[in-house]
Amino acid sequence: MAVTPQNATPAAAADALQREQSVAKHLFFGDILEENLFPFPQIRAKDRENLGAIVDAIDEFLGSKKKEIVEYDRKGEQPAEYIQALREMGLFGLIIGEEYGGLGLSNGAYARVLAQSSSHDSATSVTVGAHSSIGLKGLILFGTAAQKQQYLPKLASGEMIAAFCLTESGAGSDAASVKTHAKKQPDGSWLLNGEKIWISNGGIAGFYTVFARTEGEGGKMTAFIVEAAWPGVSHGHHEDKLGIRGSNTTTVAFNDVRVPAEALLGEEGKGFKVAMAILNNGRTGLGGGAVGGMKALIKLATQQAKDRKQFGKPIAEFGLVREKIAQMTIDCFVAESAVWMLAHYIDNDVEDYSIEAAMSKVFASEAIQRACYESLQIAAGNGFMKEFPYERYTRDSRILSIFEGTNEILRLYVALSGLKDVGASLSGLRNAVASIFNDPIKGFGVLSGYASRRARQTSGWGTDKILTQLSPDLQKAAKIYEKSVVELANASDALLKKYGKGVTDQQHQLKRLGDIAIDLYVGLCALSRAASLEKADKVNGAQAASIAYVFAKQARRRIARNVRGIGVNEDARIESVAGMIVDVGKYPWDVL
Ligand SMILES: Cc1cc2nc3c(=O)[nH]c(=O)nc-3n(C[C@H](O)[C@H](O)[C@H](O)COP(=O)(O)OP(=O)(O)OC[C@H]3O[C@@H](n4cnc5c(N)ncnc54)[C@H](O)[C@@H]3O)c2cc1C
């Protein structure tokens, strides 16, 4: 029986999953993979039990530290006793298995915890998140039993805090170009040299996951576990930053550090894969944090709008203020849906969720920045004052589109990963056509696959299973995605045919494609969630459906603009303006 919003149980979403398939990749083929989208996943019973207590404890503790958090932001430092309190609350053991003394939370529950801490203070979430999402994640994903036994208990208690050391002065987005290197010694150990920059928790960590170039295999990157206490390891001063100021950020240097053979993490030469797996797996933490921040902003701005009277009434009664409150809510609902759908994929062993992870990160990180702008605008003068938290949220959220992969790189990643499979199918088709007389069976397989894709592109999705069971609002939203996904597939085909492999250099076009795919993915997650809520939540369910409908309409307008832009655009002129300014190095006009 097909699983639908109507017959969903908590386990139904996991039962339906096609683990070897990616929703995002299907989108580029004009296909909506219903099995991996419906029904919307529900939180596991065990997580629900744990979460209640943790969320309350976070509210109680961070709620009581309001003044101190402002102080840490001003001074740019979380004092040792604050970190100690986080330890005592168990916040460093969130994702570490119970057998090592941790709480063993799922990815979804972990994201929910970071949402709660971020609703009070993003810098605290970065301290906790840099430890779990990226600092020790490599050990969980790739560590040997002995490595886990050695380190996880200390990491769970927070006796050791973890950090992730990838970025260098010459290697930011181009992470594969790291210069830090490790030379194998005759006894099998390694000699590590180099310097990492902007490392979150760099100055308070005892455990570093370090990426270094190793000899052999063409000097590929390898991941290592390095302890801060080992001779030759040092860190710089705490950087003075725009936002998340309390979170510790330093350089970390390695000077002839002797790294034992047993400290190699994963396989030699496979460090880039390790780094990407960590970042992909960790993205729910960042997304959850963004959602928590948005919820706090919506609450603050709503209170402000109700309290503040102008022209004889609360500003909450003015359409332009109400529009901001509604849009923040829509953005938050969509981001939350996308992040928890991603957590569901990770928790249920979907093989490749890297595109969905990138999409959720881009959407959530930009949604919270829009929410910061609009909530500060509602508070207006008050919003500009340090006495109120809007300016801190604004500064704190800015980092989210920079670290763990910039949003530019992630948009390109989304588009290029989607195109890769379409490209493979098209070139498969070309080869098949060329050799069809020599190898008709092979040729037939490829052609029929292509034909069925084409058929799906025109026949739509789910009309028999999901679509007919949705409310009219959600049916309309579904129709919008049904139409738009075909346009994404057609646009992908067209770009590949026009540019071939050269499409990788067409960044303006790739951005359009990435944005279409992001709108589709996050919108479908919201549609799925609204479909479940409509049934389960009689009070707010209809509003959830309305939100999913409004987002679909907004997404449709953006998608239509992007599709048009792929055919007709000013890219050449934009390139030309940029070229001129880059050449002269400044804005060349003045009215003088
Ligand atoms: C507060 C903070 C904490 C951090 N924590 C950590 C940490 O714990 N561990 C760690 O390893 N790193 C950390 N980082 C580093 C962070 O991940 C990098 O800043 C990020 O990867 C971007 O690198 P970059 O700043 O060198 O920017 P660059 O790579 O120099 O990029 C500059 C700009 O160019 C764009 N760009 C670059 N290449 C392309 C391209 N091919 N196409 C289009 N646009 C492009 C970028 O999107 C960006 O807008 C942290 C950074 C900060 C600020």
Side-chain angles (χ1 to χ4, degrees), residues 404-425:
E404 296 191 22
T406 69
N407 286 14
E408 290 77 18
I409 294 294
L410 293 179
R411 279 192 163 83
L412 295 174
Y413 177 77
V414 167
L416 286 171
S417 309
L419 282 182
K420 202 170 105 195
D421 280 13
V422 177
S425 126

Side-chain angles (χ1 to χ4, degrees), residues 123-374:
T124 302
S125 294
V126 172
T127 302
V128 172
H131 170 82
S132 293
S133 297
I134 53 177
L136 60 82
K137 187 57 79 64
L139 176 60
I140 292 183
L141 295 177
F142 297 96
T144 62
Q147 287 170 337
K148 289 181 182 174
Q149 204 53 57
Q150 184 178 356
Y151 291 111
L152 283 178
K154 288 181 189 160
L155 290 162
S157 67
E159 179 189 336
M160 259 186 168
I161 290 175
F164 174 85
C165 301
L166 178 62
T167 305
E168 299 178 3
S169 60
S173 299
D174 185 8
S177 68
V178 298
K179 291 254 174 1
T180 294
H181 57 94
K183 193 168 180 200
K184 205 173 211 161
Q185 304 300 296
D187 65 355
S189 69
W190 301 83
L191 203 59
L192 179 70
N193 279 286
E195 189 182 44
K196 302 289 179 177
I197 63 167
W198 302 330
I199 303 307
S200 302
N201 292 345
I204 58 171
F207 175 102
Y208 297 119
T209 298
V210 181
F211 297 88
R213 199 161 291 289
T214 40
E215 288 170 342
E217 293 218 17
K220 284 186 179 161
M221 212 155 74
T222 301
F224 295 95
I225 293 168
V226 178
E227 291 186 30
W230 290 349
V233 182
S234 61
H235 65 80
H237 68 273
H238 174 29
E239 303 285 353
D240 194 4
K241 307 190 292 288
L242 169 77
I244 52 160
R245 290 173 49 76
S247 142
N248 180 278
T249 315
T250 69
T251 54
V252 179
F254 309 100
N255 190 4
D256 280 342
V257 178
R258 185 71 69 156
V259 179
E262 313 82 75
L264 192 126
L265 190 57
E267 283 176 53
E268 186 181 336
K270 294 279 164 59
F272 191 74
K273 199 177 132 213
V274 171
M276 292 308 121
I278 293 171
L279 290 170
N280 285 329
N281 195 285
R283 290 216 163 100
T284 47
L286 190 153
V291 168
M294 275 187 265
K295 288 187 177 179
L297 288 166
I298 291 168
K299 194 170 170 192
L300 273 170
T302 309
Q303 196 56 53
Q304 171 77 18
K306 288 203 288 198
D307 291 347
R308 174 70 174 164
K309 288 199 176 74
Q310 286 293 279
F311 303 99
K313 14 172 154 164
I315 59 167
E317 290 182 23
F318 296 120
L320 294 187
V321 173
R322 296 171 78 79
E323 186 180 293
K324 295 181 200 306
I325 292 172
Q327 191 60 50
M328 286 194 280
T329 308
I330 294 167
D331 272 351
C332 187
F333 183 85
V334 176
E336 191 176 41
S337 307
V339 170
W340 269 272
M341 187 68 88
L342 170 66
H344 166 64
Y345 297 155
I346 300 175
D347 286 332
N348 287 287
D349 305 319
V350 166
E351 282 171 20
D352 184 2
Y353 48 78
S354 60
I355 311 181
E356 290 83 351
M359 291 168 152
S360 311
K361 192 268 194 182
V362 170
F363 186 83
S365 62
E366 293 178 4
I368 189 176
Q369 290 179 67
R370 289 194 291 274
C372 286
Y373 183 91
E374 296 295 26

Side-chain angles (χ1 to χ4, degrees), residues 13 22 91 160 203 261 369 382 385 462 469 475 498 515 559 563:
S22 144
L91 290 181
M160 259 186 168
Q369 290 179 67
N382 279 342
M385 298 298 144
Q469 301 181 34
Q475 284 198 26
K498 182 165 180 194
D515 280 340
I559 290 170
V563 169

Side-chain angles (χ1 to χ4, degrees), residues 432-451:
V433 171
S435 64
I436 199 156
F437 294 111
N438 304 332
D439 193 350
I441 293 175
K442 186 174 152 214
F444 176 76
V446 180
L447 285 170
S448 64
Y450 186 74

Side-chain angles (χ1 to χ4, degrees), residues 23 43 46 82 90 144 153 167 243 377 385 395 413 448:
V23 170
I43 207 133
K46 182 171 162 269
Y82 183 70
T144 62
T167 305
Q377 191 69 14
M385 298 298 144
R395 288 185 286 106
Y413 177 77
S448 64

